[in-house]
Amino acid sequence: MVLLRSLLGDVLRRCRQSQGRTLREVSALARVSLGYLSEVERGQKEASSELLASICDALGVAMSDLLRDVSDSLVHAELAQAAPLRSVGAVPTAIAVVPAGARPEVVAAA
Amino acid sequence: MVLLRSLLGDVLRRCRQSQGRTLREVSALARVSLGYLSEVERGQKEASSELLASICDALGVAMSDLLRDVSDSLVHAELAQAAPLRSVGAVPTAIAVVPAGARPEVVAAA
């Protein structure tokens, strides 16, 4: 099952790292504990709507842009999840390492 | 503050109603209580990632599509929220009734 909190955490972490900012800095701005933000980024905790809004503010990103990134990541995850059912003989480990932007059907057919 | 759970609830409700399905039917398929699903649709409860995946399954929609709809709704909500700050003299009640698809700048300038 593709879990929203995992992909959301990935996108939040990528966003923070692309800005060269630390967990400490963003957690202080978002008024959330460093440990909690870290758990959200690792997909171990669900972020409430209020907390997510605070994190977006701290990162200076619109929540709509964040969700669009998550939606794009989900498309890849959904394709990767569906691929083993469609292609008999596909190598599951090959599916698991599809990078963002790759064409899943090519990997599934390998 | 624009809250994700409110917009997510709106999109889930619109999706269910566009299929002509009842809360009872979808809640049974998603294995969640009718009351809880109703609260999620009204933006009063946060749906966990697992529950959201179950509701999407029950509705037969990809979570990525659902999130894209939510992202689109968020763009309008963010514009409506930002508009009163940008346009002195705008009528707040006019901002609040911007329908999806409307051009917010036209309403803000009215």
Side-chain angles (χ1 to χ4, degrees):
Chain A
M1 184 191 284
V2 181
L3 291 179
L4 176 59
R5 65 172 172 273
S6 304
L7 295 171
L8 187 61
D10 286 343
V11 170
L12 285 173
R13 171 158 286 179
R14 275 207 305 272
C15 180
R16 176 179 60 78
Q17 290 178 335
S18 73
Q19 298 179 5
R21 298 166 78 185
T22 63
L23 271 173
R24 185 172 306 278
E25 186 183 343
V26 175
S27 64
L29 269 172
R31 300 188 181 194
V32 56
S33 77
L34 188 152
Y36 200 89
L37 179 59
S38 173
E39 286 188 298
V40 167
E41 283 192 354
R42 282 179 283 133
Q44 293 176 350
K45 279 273 194 303
E46 303 274 356
S48 70
S49 296
E50 285 83 356
L51 177 60
L52 192 59
S54 292
I55 297 173
C56 285
D57 277 351
L59 290 170
V61 296
M63 207 193 297
S64 55
D65 290 334
L66 185 87
L67 283 190
R68 183 155 290 117
D69 281 355
V70 174
S71 174
D72 291 344
S73 295
L74 261 171
V75 171
H76 288 284
E78 286 164 353
L79 282 170
Q81 193 181 45
L85 300 176
R86 286 201 302 261
S87 57
V88 176
V91 184
T93 51
I95 304 292
V97 294
V98 177
R103 291 171 55 202
E105 69 276 17
V106 173
V107 178
Chain B
M1 183 190 283
V2 181
L3 291 178
L4 177 59
R5 65 172 171 274
S6 302
L7 295 172
L8 187 60
D10 285 344
V11 171
L12 285 173
R13 170 158 287 181
R14 274 207 305 273
C15 180
R16 176 180 61 76
Q17 289 179 334
S18 73
Q19 297 178 7
R21 298 166 78 185
T22 63
L23 272 172
R24 186 172 306 278
E25 185 183 343
V26 174
S27 64
L29 269 171
R31 299 189 182 194
V32 56
S33 77
L34 188 153
Y36 199 89
L37 179 59
S38 173
E39 286 188 298
V40 167
E41 284 191 354
R42 282 179 284 134
Q44 293 176 350
K45 279 273 193 303
E46 302 274 355
S48 70
S49 296
E50 286 83 355
L51 177 59
L52 191 59
S54 291
I55 297 173
C56 285
D57 277 352
L59 290 170
V61 296
M63 207 192 299
S64 54
D65 290 333
L66 185 87
L67 283 189
R68 183 155 289 116
D69 281 355
V70 174
S71 174
D72 291 343
S73 296
L74 262 171
V75 171
H76 289 283
E78 287 163 353
L79 282 171
Q81 194 180 45
L85 301 176
R86 285 200 304 261
S87 58
V88 177
V91 183
T93 50
I95 304 294
V97 294
V98 177
R103 291 171 55 204
E105 68 276 18
V106 174
V107 177

